[in-house]
Amino acid sequence: MMKIEKVDLFLTSMKLVQPFRTHQETVTDRESILIKVTDDTGHSGWGEVVAFSSPWYTEETIETAWHMLTEFFIPTILEQEWTSPREVNETLLHWKRNHMAKAGIEMAIWDLFAKRAGISLSEYIGGVLKEVKAGVVVSMDSPERMLNTIENRINEGYERIKVKIDPANDYQMLKVIRDSYPDIALLVDANSAYSLKDAERLKKLDSLNLLMIEQPLAADDIVEHAELQRGLLTPVCLDESIVSLQDARNAVKLGSCKVISIKIGRVGGLANAIDIHDLCAEHEIPVWCGGMLETGISRAFHIALATLPNFTIPGDLSASSRYWEKDVIIPEVVVEDGKVKVPEGPGIGFKVDEPFVEQITKRKATYHSK
């Protein structure tokens, strides 16, 4: 049995090395909630809430997550004893949705359990890889600048490039990229910019040999994606539509996609992420780890998750320097020859730079068990 004695919250803000643009939002400063849990033996684990400052990606925001954590989730965590991190997910099901807030506190407890066991998080969850392939996201910009960015990322060793698209920036832009780089693994992310009325427009992308089209239709849709997938050669990948294991089951049953992106925050925690991985493996649907412009803490969890055997597509596991002048972890995440080495130390395998966390903290709160 394990008792959580203290929970520390840090609402942080860091400026991105360069703005991140989609058709929905441009992010320049990234707020996060970093969570530190400490048990009755003095061991600590870290997690991260990856909601954005405004509800453009999901309905959650940093402020709603702070509210749910302080008013509901943390009191529950402190009043119980735990024998497994999976119990956290089961207990928090009492409250509806708020997946990113749930994931943040659950992740910290997974890290804590792995540290108490004296093994890496990867080993603790049954990971099999010692290094994972890294992909990178290129945000919207002029074709010239995007080509320059892609060239830089390829020179850095990235094997898979993801490009954001919308109806104003799709085929012509992608044709320029494909003509310049005929052999790169290229996927596109629409962040729900299209509807079924655009089916013929999306079919035109079949000629570009894309790895996949990520989330072309509505963020809460599974049914229309199935209709779209039947008419496309290019695999559809679902992202925002999959926020639970049941969503994944429904998508598999309906044939809504041929690939699923898994983000721990989006699906409500590491336990759910593992279960979705296992379901997809059973049905021979490949998965990959999406990114959330997160700090090294959340990225460390995704590195560990990507060591499970059905993560066969390079994920959004970029180097820390891709996003930050300085990350919150030591050492920072580094991509070498297109791969990230999986840390072997206990838990997430990185040390959190707590003095730096204090420097970037806008609001802090500490809660103790009674």
Side-chain angles (χ1 to χ4, degrees):
M1 300 292 289
M2 182 183 73
K3 184 80 169 74
I4 304 296
E5 294 290 344
K6 184 173 72 165
V7 179
D8 294 299
L9 298 183
F10 306 86
L11 197 165
T12 63
S13 180
M14 293 200 295
K15 184 175 290 293
L16 289 162
V17 171
Q18 60 185 41
F20 187 82
R21 296 183 178 90
T22 72
H23 75 280
Q24 299 162 300
E25 190 87 350
T26 296
V27 181
T28 57
D29 296 273
R30 181 64 160 109
E31 289 187 315
S32 304
I33 299 174
L34 307 184
I35 304 174
K36 179 183 180 183
V37 299
T38 305
D39 70 6
D40 49 0
T41 68
H43 289 87
S44 295
W46 286 84
E48 178 177 351
V49 176
V50 295
F52 289 96
S53 302
S54 65
W56 66 271
Y57 178 71
T58 70
E59 68 274 21
E60 284 184 86
T61 69
I62 285 294
E63 291 298 334
T64 64
W66 186 277
H67 168 69
M68 294 303 298
L69 285 164
T70 58
E71 296 297 321
F72 301 101
F73 302 159
I74 291 174
T76 299
I77 295 300
L78 290 173
E79 72 185 13
Q80 298 191 33
E81 293 186 339
W82 308 94
T83 60
S84 163
R86 279 190 169 271
E87 294 175 347
V88 177
N89 175 64
E90 295 164 3
T91 299
L92 297 184
L93 286 174
H94 175 74
W95 292 282
K96 306 300 182 187
R97 297 182 70 86
N98 294 283
H99 303 298
M100 293 180 177
K102 290 177 179 178
I105 192 73
E106 188 234 33
M107 289 159 69
I109 294 176
W110 276 95
D111 182 33
L112 179 55
F113 265 93
K115 285 174 177 172
R116 284 169 60 106
I119 59 176
S120 70
L121 181 63
S122 170
E123 183 180 354
Y124 192 74
I125 66 173
V128 297
L129 300 176
K130 299 302 181 184
E131 58 183 15
V132 294
K133 291 185 177 181
V136 70
V137 184
V138 175
S139 62
M140 288 182 177
D141 211 326
S142 68
E144 295 77 14
R145 289 178 179 173
M146 291 180 72
L147 286 174
N148 183 63
T149 299
I150 290 170
E151 181 178 3
N152 291 336
R153 300 299 170 240
I154 291 173
N155 290 337
E156 291 166 357
Y158 291 99
E159 298 183 11
R160 189 230 71 195
I161 304 293
K162 180 166 84 172
V163 176
K164 298 287 186 176
I165 63 167
D166 64 22
N169 297 278
D170 50 24
Y171 180 81
Q172 291 301 327
M173 176 188 70
L174 293 170
K175 182 71 163 54
V176 171
I177 294 172
R178 180 51 84 201
D179 287 346
S180 300
Y181 299 99
D183 299 322
I184 62 168
L186 180 66
L187 69 94
V188 297
D189 184 3
N191 289 117
S192 305
Y194 299 83
S195 71
L196 273 182
K197 295 178 182 179
D198 301 304
E200 290 303 318
R201 186 184 193 98
L202 291 169
K203 285 180 184 179
K204 193 175 179 181
L205 303 185
D206 279 341
S207 66
L208 298 175
N209 189 29
L210 300 175
L211 197 60
M212 67 191 79
I213 301 175
E214 183 179 354
Q215 199 66 41
L217 308 182
D220 59 354
D221 171 73
I222 290 176
V223 175
E224 290 189 345
H225 275 100
E227 183 176 344
L228 178 66
Q229 179 66 93
R230 286 193 292 271
L232 292 180
L233 298 176
T234 305
V236 169
C237 170
L238 288 184
D239 178 11
E240 291 96 322
S241 291
I242 308 298
V243 299
S244 68
L245 178 62
Q246 188 59 50
D247 285 338
R249 287 196 187 103
N250 292 342
V252 170
K253 185 174 183 179
L254 292 174
S256 306
C257 61
K258 295 181 180 178
V259 184
I260 287 180
S261 164
I262 301 178
K263 299 173 181 173
I264 296 171
R266 193 193 72 232
V267 303
L270 186 54
N272 288 339
I274 294 168
D275 290 346
I276 292 171
H277 164 275
D278 294 348
L279 173 76
C280 290
E282 179 183 347
H283 292 275
E284 299 182 342
I285 294 175
V287 296
W288 58 282
C289 279
M292 289 291 294
L293 305 180
E294 68 259 78
T295 77
I297 292 174
S298 178
R299 195 169 304 278
F301 277 88
H302 281 120
I303 291 170
L305 180 65
T307 65
L308 295 176
N310 195 39
F311 282 93
T312 56
I313 300 168
D316 292 340
L317 302 172
S318 307
S320 295
S321 60
R322 167 72 179 85
Y323 297 105
W324 318 114
E325 291 288 347
K326 178 178 171 58
D327 207 341
V328 301
I329 56 170
I330 302 171
E332 296 190 350
V333 176
V334 176
V335 175
E336 295 180 346
D337 298 324
K339 300 178 179 66
V340 177
K341 290 183 179 178
V342 179
E344 298 179 354
I348 60 174
F350 296 89
K351 178 183 177 182
V352 175
D353 188 343
E354 296 192 48
F356 179 61
V357 170
E358 293 283 356
Q359 289 178 32
I360 60 175
T361 293
K362 299 168 57 178
R363 185 192 312 161
K364 182 179 178 180
T366 299
Y367 300 87
H368 296 271
S369 63
K370 296 179 181 180

